[in-house]
Amino acid sequence: MAGLVETRGTLEARFGRRFCSRPWKPCRAEVAMRTRIRSLLVVGLAVAFVAACSSGGGSTTGDTTTTPFDRNATLRFGFSVSPTTWDPHKLAQDYNNLAIFPVYDRILDTDPDGKVIAGLAEKWEFSSDGLTLTLTMRDGAKFHDGSAVDAASVKANLDAEISGQGMLAAPLLKVISDVTVSDPKTVKLTLKSQAAYLPSVLANRAGALVCPSMLTAASLETQPCGAGPFKVTLSRQNDRIVYERFEDYWNVKDVQIKTLEMTIQPAEATRLSSFQSGQLDATYMNAATIDSAKRAGVAVDPQTTFTWYGIFVNWSKGDLGNPAVRQAINLAIDRKSIIDRLSFGYASDYQQPFPPNYFANNKDLKSPYWTYDPNKAKELLAGAGLTDKVSFTCELANSNAFPDIAAAVQQQLAAVGIKMNYTTATTQAVTQNYFIEGKTDCTFGAYSGVTDPSLALQQLFAPDGSLNGSHTWLKPEFQTMYEATLRPGDQRDAAIHTMVKSVMEEAAVIPLFYPQRSYIAKPKVKGLEKFPVDTTTRFINLGLAQ
């Protein structure tokens, strides 16, 4: 899941002129891919840019349980970017999902809380030892070319991904040692090790099923062929995409629009203007433009995204290896003042590595976990014999976003006797120095997770995690807790929550805030929902009221 560098103008539109870096959602991969991942994290993790396109605004559209939809209607939706390819297995960031998921159903799916639900497979089950995942495909599903979605088509797709060149999801599927077709409806995946995260992976682009006849076709780059609710009839890069309802879709009764027109307009101000002039029925706004829309009388409904901005600390270096120091840092930071100054007030001061609307969030912990208490921070430092003795240096990518945040944090830490210096460097240098070599004390970045909490915990805290500059477990118990999250079964959620609790107690990472986003929609648009994990609304049971 590689990333793209965002332009200064795009981020200034998102957060105002202070911000120009782009959050990107990474994945674990081999060394070359991890280097790419780390580089792109430093400039920000890309999903923050477009997470709003599907993680906010649900209540602006009203209840759909009794809505009479106009099934011949056209929904005009404003989006920011076109997919760079129509091959879902070669796409990098999750923001592409909004454009490609109307075309490509996945083997499984997720609900708004991130829980796996049925997709093209109506049933999935791990063996008692967790080393086999059996998928049962639903009857009656078809690809856009008329061929059947069956066990053989699943095997063809997974085999192509695992062995193919340029398949960005391949590292997530390498736990699969064999794909076996048991009968036309049944696929068995034999695993090299326990991987409770695999169903979540199959609910994202790695599980998107391409028409088998197109798997090796060069034309797939520009001519999509899937098993989703819509077929693409027009695709003009960075301009417009037109989708028509696929009448043989297995769940066509819930596809409430005949045509989806996606207009590509990178600048939020342009989308807002298009919405106000009646050219768009719905689009999304980020922090800076939410306020503009609200002042213009547009109904907004800010929602917390899946992305957080924060400090990544190297606990193998100096003072930051002391938990009392990390805890004092959390207590010394006035997150609300940072939100008001740098995010126009449109952010949440949640501090867990998973947002509150995600099943991995530990709801037994108080929220906010760390409250602004500089006196308590001083007491912690004094108790550890570190009054006016703590000093460290963060290296930041030389963008506009993170130095502004770092300057605010620096001032607040100084008030409790902590000396935080910071320097700036190129993205490549920060990547090399912190994420790869672990030479620097800390860096500032944004993290938008992955489609399963075990993968996120691996990235952030495992010795080989792509975002762990310490290259070691913070404490031996972390490894035991992480391995427990890989075991399928009823106790998995509890295992995840146990590790989250320990992460918070140890202040292993320091989230500062979660940015908010909002859909805006005409009153006749009904059914927009938030999907915080894969950042994608499904254009199912979404449409225009009669």
Side-chain angles (χ1 to χ4, degrees):
M1 300 177 190
L4 301 175
V5 177
E6 180 171 327
T7 64
R8 178 185 299 266
T10 307
L11 267 148
E12 286 177 349
R14 173 157 63 94
F15 275 123
R17 297 192 61 81
R18 297 184 181 92
F19 287 80
C20 73
S21 64
R22 178 180 201 163
W24 171 66
K25 178 180 178 179
C27 72
R28 181 188 177 197
E30 299 175 20
V31 173
M33 184 68 78
R34 283 204 296 263
T35 301
R36 194 176 181 190
I37 287 166
R38 290 157 170 157
S39 296
L40 289 156
L41 172 108
V42 177
V43 296
L45 305 174
V47 170
F49 163 46
V50 190
C53 66
S54 49
S55 41
S59 67
T60 64
T61 61
D63 180 29
T64 64
T65 54
T66 59
T67 298
F69 287 105
D70 178 0
R71 287 181 56 85
N72 290 315
T74 296
L75 175 68
R76 301 166 302 167
F77 189 90
F79 194 43
S80 53
V81 289
S82 299
T84 54
T85 173
W86 282 103
D87 185 341
H89 306 147
K90 293 182 179 179
L91 280 168
Q93 301 90 349
D94 273 5
Y95 66 74
N96 287 296
N97 291 355
L98 188 127
I100 69 165
F101 277 10
V103 179
Y104 294 105
D105 263 21
R106 281 75 55 215
I107 296 171
L108 295 168
D109 206 344
T110 52
D111 68 13
D113 295 325
K115 281 288 190 180
V116 175
I117 59 176
L120 289 169
E122 60 185 1
K123 182 181 177 182
W124 65 103
E125 185 176 16
F126 280 101
S127 59
S128 58
D129 62 4
L131 296 177
T132 302
L133 176 61
T134 301
L135 304 167
T136 304
M137 306 307 293
R138 67 174 64 251
D139 291 319
K142 293 183 180 180
F143 288 104
H144 295 162
D145 64 1
S147 60
V149 176
D150 56 13
S153 65
V154 173
K155 176 176 172 58
N157 272 262
L158 293 178
D159 285 349
E161 286 189 81
I162 293 168
S163 62
Q165 294 296 315
M167 300 298 184
L168 296 177
L172 296 172
L173 298 174
K174 284 192 173 179
V175 71
I176 301 172
S177 62
D178 189 52
V179 181
T180 304
V181 175
S182 300
D183 59 52
K185 287 186 60 174
T186 309
V187 188
K188 289 190 176 181
L189 310 183
T190 303
L191 311 182
K192 301 171 186 176
S193 58
Q194 291 182 331
Y197 60 81
L198 189 56
S200 295
V201 171
L202 298 178
N204 207 310
R205 290 183 305 282
L209 292 188
V210 175
C211 300
S213 63
M214 294 287 286
L215 277 171
T216 59
S219 57
L220 182 61
E221 297 283 336
T222 57
Q223 299 174 26
C225 186
F230 294 91
K231 299 174 70 171
V232 170
T233 59
L234 174 69
S235 177
R236 290 202 297 257
Q237 187 73 17
N238 299 319
D239 179 23
R240 190 164 170 257
I241 306 170
V242 179
Y243 309 78
E244 293 291 332
R245 184 170 59 218
F246 178 44
E247 299 297 345
D248 286 333
Y249 181 57
W250 66 270
N251 189 27
V252 71
K253 66 180 177 61
D254 288 337
V255 185
Q256 306 294 357
I257 53 175
K258 183 174 179 60
T259 306
L260 169 64
E261 292 184 358
M262 196 172 290
T263 300
I264 309 303
Q265 296 177 331
E268 286 195 25
T270 303
R271 295 200 301 277
L272 178 57
S273 177
S274 296
F275 177 81
Q276 290 175 301
S277 65
Q279 299 174 59
L280 296 176
D281 298 311
T283 186
Y284 65 94
M285 298 286 104
N286 294 297
T289 321
I290 289 175
D291 194 53
S292 298
K294 186 176 181 180
R295 290 199 309 270
V298 176
V300 297
D301 183 19
Q303 299 284 334
T304 298
T305 69
F306 199 70
T307 298
W308 52 262
Y309 281 73
I311 309 172
F312 294 80
V313 295
N314 187 340
W315 52 75
S316 68
K317 299 282 289 184
D319 291 332
L320 291 172
N322 188 326
V325 171
R326 300 192 301 270
Q327 293 161 1
I329 290 171
N330 273 289
L331 291 166
I333 296 174
D334 183 355
R335 289 169 169 85
K336 289 190 179 298
S337 72
I338 294 175
I339 288 169
D340 290 341
R341 288 173 54 194
L342 301 180
S343 192
F344 301 89
Y346 291 107
S348 302
D349 63 346
Y350 299 116
Q351 297 145 28
Q352 291 190 36
F354 304 113
N357 51 344
Y358 187 33
F359 77 93
N361 179 277
N362 188 334
K363 294 175 175 55
D364 292 333
L365 302 180
K366 65 179 181 178
S367 182
Y369 190 85
W370 302 104
T371 55
Y372 177 52
D373 191 340
N375 290 329
K376 188 173 180 180
K378 291 178 182 178
E379 291 173 6
L380 268 177
L381 295 172
L386 294 172
T387 300
D388 296 325
K389 293 181 180 179
V390 174
S391 177
F392 55 89
T393 300
C394 294
E395 186 177 66
L396 319 177
N398 50 9
S399 66
N400 283 349
F402 301 123
D404 276 354
I405 299 173
V409 171
Q410 181 187 55
Q411 184 178 17
Q412 293 173 358
L413 295 186
V416 301
I418 296 175
K419 185 177 181 180
M420 187 195 85
N421 302 303
Y422 67 90
T423 61
T424 61
T426 65
T427 296
Q428 291 76 14
V430 175
T431 298
Q432 187 68 32
N433 293 335
Y434 182 81
F435 293 105
I436 296 177
E437 296 186 22
K439 295 193 301 185
T440 49
D441 296 333
C442 51
T443 191
F444 282 60
Y447 184 62
S448 45
V450 285
T451 55
D452 188 87
S454 291
L455 297 177
L457 293 170
Q458 185 277 331
Q459 288 179 341
L460 291 166
F461 305 114
D464 62 345
S466 57
L467 308 180
N468 179 2
S470 305
H471 304 307
T472 182
W473 293 105
L474 177 58
K475 58 181 185 178
E477 294 87 344
F478 267 33
Q479 180 175 1
T480 302
M481 287 185 283
Y482 165 69
E483 289 173 351
T485 74
L486 299 177
R487 300 183 192 115
D490 295 338
Q491 298 304 309
R492 185 179 182 236
D493 285 6
I496 293 168
H497 296 158
T498 296
M499 186 163 183
V500 168
K501 181 175 184 290
S502 188
V503 164
M504 296 304 295
E505 291 171 345
E506 294 287 335
V509 69
I510 304 174
L512 298 174
F513 61 86
Y514 282 79
Q516 293 178 334
R517 312 286 188 265
S518 178
Y519 271 124
I520 57 175
K522 300 295 185 183
K524 62 183 178 179
V525 176
K526 305 295 181 183
L528 278 173
E529 288 187 281
K530 56 182 180 178
F531 279 79
V533 178
D534 57 27
T535 70
T536 304
T537 192
R538 278 68 168 152
F539 291 91
I540 301 291
N541 276 326
L542 185 160
L544 280 66
Q546 288 182 352

